[in-house]
Amino acid sequence: MLSEISLNDKLPSFSLEATMLNKCSDADLLGSWSVLFLYPKDNTSGCTRETKEFNERHSDFEALGVRIFGLSKDTISSHISFSKKLNLQFPLLSDPQTQLIQNLNAWKEKSMYGKKYMGTERSTFLIDKKLSIKHIWRKVKVEGHVDQVLDKYKELNEGFG
């Protein structure tokens, strides 16, 4: 059992295939604030809505110097077509082995129609310039979530410019 990841923990190190970057590692997140949102599956209704909302607000995050990264266990080819379909302005990380997803304690037992299975719990991590996790959202509800993330970043950075 992995130890629970919590506030002020360092983002686990990783190196994954990604759209826009080919490879993305924890080192790529150093030096700027980042939002890493984990979602269950490309092209499903909730995941598409959440990804679209982050994309619609991309310029708001960019203006604050915050980078956005999406993460799921989908293959890189699935991510490429999902990214093109939504015209995404940020990279999607592919974690088919669920290594980073598990290290972030977001690989959970789920249940649908009475069947139990393992899947990604919709989660978001706000990460500072030194890769320290400054806020964690678990079991994310898509509605209003992107605003919550923006507001939390602003709250944590009041007076820092």
Side-chain angles (χ1 to χ4, degrees):
M1 177 71 193
L2 294 162
S3 61
E4 191 64 34
I5 196 123
S6 39
L7 286 185
N8 299 315
D9 282 355
K10 194 170 171 17
L11 179 70
S13 66
F14 68 90
S15 179
L16 297 169
E17 285 188 291
T19 60
M20 300 170 82
L21 302 168
N22 290 331
K23 278 271 187 212
C24 181
S25 75
D26 48 312
D28 293 310
L29 278 66
L30 265 173
S32 59
W33 279 75
S34 302
V35 170
L36 179 63
F37 73 98
L38 284 60
Y39 62 96
K41 191 158 179 48
D42 291 344
N43 293 304
T44 55
S45 61
C47 300
T48 299
R49 247 183 31 244
E50 181 181 23
T51 305
K52 270 183 170 168
E53 287 181 25
F54 271 113
N55 201 44
E56 286 162 7
R57 303 298 296 279
H58 180 262
S59 59
D60 296 335
F61 283 97
E62 198 173 48
L64 296 167
V66 180
R67 300 168 65 203
I68 301 171
F69 298 86
L71 171 68
S72 81
K73 72 180 287 288
D74 291 294
T75 63
I76 193 66
S77 57
S78 172
H79 275 350
I80 289 167
S81 67
F82 188 51
S83 186
K84 281 182 181 160
K85 184 169 129 184
L86 299 181
N87 199 17
L88 296 183
Q89 302 169 71
F90 55 83
L92 297 177
L93 282 54
S94 173
D95 188 9
Q97 309 302 312
T98 69
Q99 192 175 345
L100 181 57
I101 295 167
Q102 288 185 51
N103 287 341
L104 292 169
N105 304 115
W107 189 245
K108 303 285 186 185
E109 185 176 270
K110 297 172 143 193
S111 150
M112 186 183 285
Y113 307 121
K115 291 212 186 324
K116 292 196 180 306
Y117 64 97
M118 294 302 288
T120 303
E121 177 181 80
R122 192 181 308 279
S123 311
T124 301
F125 298 84
L126 185 58
I127 302 155
D128 76 6
K129 296 176 181 188
K130 295 180 181 146
L131 302 183
S132 182
I133 297 171
K134 292 302 178 189
H135 199 83
I136 302 171
W137 290 264
R138 298 279 186 195
K139 296 182 180 159
V140 168
K141 300 282 177 258
V142 173
E143 193 70 38
H145 179 59
V146 174
D147 288 333
Q148 292 171 351
V149 176
L150 257 176
D151 291 346
K152 178 54 73 174
Y153 170 81
K154 290 174 183 172
E155 176 192 314
L156 290 171
N157 286 280
E158 273 178 332
F160 293 109

